[in-house]
Amino acid sequence: MVQLCQRNDVDPRQVIYLAADRFTARDLRRAVTLGTELSRAGDSQPRVWLFDEVTGVPGWTTGIKALRDGTRFGDDTVILTGSSMAGAEQAVRDLGADRAGESNVSPFRTLLPMTFRSVLDATAKRLAVIDRVPPSRLQSDDVATRLGSLDPIVDALDLAWQRYLESGGFPRAVAEYHRDGAVSPAFMESLAAWLTADVEPAAPPDSVALLIAELHVRCAAPLNVRATAAALSYSRDQMNARLSRLVRSYAGIWCHQVDDRGRRVAKAQGKFYLTDPVLNWLGHRQRPGVTQPDFTRLTEAAIGIALARAIAADRHDRWSAGDTVGYSKTDSRKEVDFAPVAVAIAGGQQMSTAVEAKWVTNGWRAKARVIEGKYRSGIVATKNILDLNHPAWAVPAPVLALLLG
């Protein structure tokens, strides 16, 4: 918006910002009427509207559609943002049909915290030296050639990865960590306040911190909802509601069990990951006595989210539908963290590469056999090992995160 207002071809009076989180549907209509009236001096130019947190308005998709179809508002540029998936499917039906324009590009975007690559670009650009690779091409010959030249910077990448697992990708958290060596208590309180408002508005102040801590401890295995609810003194329905709200607020994502075709296995328990590493620290930072997060679990969750983002990059609806990453079981009932799923490519689709996330410094071959026995190929994301001489490659977790995006 600042850049728009600095342009010579834009009248700043035509750029209109509205914080809509406390609006009603009537407020939405009235705001457009008043905004149009107050900016009429520049009527020769289209207006640019930004409605922030519009997903907090009951029936917002219907209201925006009515304004678009029935008033001059339909000729303006309108940007709608929200931190919840509430109404997302309705928005696609009401606002997405036949409105992509000549570019045929989806008008919907999912904006998540910074990726590991983005954090390196902001804090240590010399380390972001590998191009992105589609999830279906992680074990291609050209990737192997590029990875072979990374030995000199593996240790530096490993340290950067550990910093990322502490700071996460929220821009303010990254800036604070890079400047001060830690994310500030004030920002952690802001994160807790956001989740409390979206997930447990009527709960005690430390309830979200305890919920997050419990989910982190259990994230590396299929989540037993009943047992988790009992540990937190919730009913099962209360637990399911909180998990749904975490997903709806883009704070959590399910990793369902999938079969050999990448399709979800009915009634199987799923794993649950928080979508940014810093969220896993809320329990430790907000509640005395809660131990700090485990880096093995942080690594698995971060790799899972990186893979989910890469798979959903060209299809935003896969994220909201929970159709990105999945785990599988071998014939001996061993678990493969991230099984192949179908990903879109030009002219069709391919299966992604199997990934096993581990925090190890030796013995990687034993870990690799888990994948080899199921898929004959795969990648083991380890702490700091780079070995490409095995059907299941052992690759450092930060290298894999860079490859994915």
Side-chain angles (χ1 to χ4, degrees):
M1 293 186 70
V2 171
Q3 291 174 349
L4 275 174
C5 291
Q6 291 173 340
R7 284 171 45 171
N8 294 327
D9 60 338
V10 173
D11 185 338
R13 292 171 295 182
Q14 302 306 103
V15 181
I16 304 166
Y17 168 85
L18 294 159
D21 53 326
R22 298 184 183 275
F23 276 19
T24 65
R26 181 182 179 185
D27 293 333
L28 203 61
R29 294 190 298 271
R30 181 170 173 78
V32 171
T33 300
L34 290 175
T36 302
E37 175 64 19
L38 292 171
S39 59
R40 67 185 185 280
D43 265 351
S44 60
Q45 294 179 337
R47 294 169 178 83
V48 178
W49 301 81
L50 173 56
F51 291 87
D52 193 22
E53 291 293 353
V54 74
T55 53
V57 181
W60 66 273
T61 61
T62 302
I64 292 292
K65 183 177 186 300
L67 288 165
R68 182 196 69 186
D69 295 344
T71 70
R72 287 187 56 188
F73 183 73
D75 297 324
D76 295 335
T77 295
V78 181
I79 302 162
L80 307 165
T81 75
S83 57
S84 170
M85 292 184 193
E89 294 180 358
Q90 187 68 32
V92 172
R93 291 192 291 269
D94 285 349
L95 305 175
D98 300 323
R99 293 287 174 162
E102 294 180 0
S103 66
N104 198 32
V105 174
S106 170
F108 300 97
R109 300 288 185 272
T110 299
L111 180 61
L112 297 167
M114 297 164 70
T115 63
F116 178 58
R117 176 185 292 276
S118 297
V119 171
L120 288 185
D121 282 338
T123 62
K125 192 175 182 67
R126 64 183 178 82
L127 296 179
V129 295
I130 319 168
D131 293 335
R132 294 176 181 85
V133 174
S136 61
R137 290 185 48 78
L138 288 173
Q139 290 194 296
S140 60
D141 291 340
D142 59 318
V143 173
T145 301
R146 280 182 278 166
L147 293 184
S149 65
L150 293 180
D151 280 334
I153 64 168
V154 165
D155 287 343
L157 279 171
D158 181 49
L159 291 173
W161 178 250
Q162 293 179 59
R163 292 193 293 269
Y164 172 69
L165 295 182
E166 293 183 338
S167 74
F170 288 96
R172 178 178 161 188
V174 174
E176 290 178 349
Y177 193 95
H178 184 63
R179 183 186 66 230
D180 305 325
V183 180
S184 71
F187 183 71
M188 300 303 289
E189 290 173 4
S190 295
L191 284 180
W194 156 53
L195 289 178
T196 298
D198 280 5
V199 178
E200 299 190 64
D206 62 355
S207 181
V208 162
L210 293 174
L211 171 63
I212 293 299
E214 193 68 27
L215 289 175
H216 169 73
V217 168
R218 297 170 182 265
C219 75
L223 184 67
N224 186 318
V225 174
R226 187 182 298 277
T228 308
L232 293 166
S233 299
Y234 297 157
S235 69
R236 184 171 183 173
D237 287 345
Q238 288 174 325
M239 189 70 220
N240 280 323
R242 283 161 172 77
L243 293 172
S244 295
R245 291 169 191 159
L246 282 169
V247 171
R248 191 177 63 188
S249 299
Y250 294 92
I253 187 172
W254 284 104
C255 177
H256 297 291
Q257 184 178 347
V258 296
D259 60 22
D260 289 342
R261 295 178 296 173
R263 296 181 180 178
R264 182 177 174 181
V265 176
K267 298 182 179 180
Q269 294 175 334
K271 295 193 288 187
F272 192 89
Y273 299 119
L274 297 167
T275 52
D276 186 79
V278 79
L279 293 175
N280 294 275
W281 291 84
L282 272 176
H284 174 63
R285 296 288 299 274
Q286 293 282 302
R287 174 70 182 229
V290 174
T291 58
Q292 74 174 30
D294 172 76
F295 275 77
T296 302
R297 298 186 184 98
L298 285 171
T299 292
E300 178 179 331
I303 291 298
I305 297 302
L307 188 58
R309 292 177 70 147
I311 290 169
D314 297 323
R315 289 290 305 270
H316 70 91
D317 55 325
R318 291 192 69 165
W319 184 281
S320 58
D323 177 31
T324 50
V325 288
Y327 74 93
S328 69
K329 296 283 189 179
T330 66
D331 293 339
S332 59
R333 304 306 295 167
K334 292 183 178 180
E335 181 185 305
V336 177
D337 289 330
F338 305 109
V341 296
V343 293
I345 60 169
Q349 66 179 31
Q350 285 183 345
M351 300 300 285
S352 63
T353 304
V355 173
E356 181 77 359
K358 298 297 178 186
W359 186 266
V360 298
T361 55
N362 52 55
W364 68 271
R365 291 181 184 278
K367 304 295 183 184
R369 290 192 192 103
V370 174
I371 295 180
E372 185 188 12
K374 175 79 173 179
Y375 300 112
R376 300 296 174 190
S377 66
I379 286 181
V380 178
T382 70
K383 180 182 177 184
N384 59 8
I385 298 171
L386 190 65
D387 191 324
L388 310 182
N389 299 315
H390 193 276
W393 299 356
V395 175
V399 173
L400 180 56
L402 284 175
L403 290 173
L404 292 170

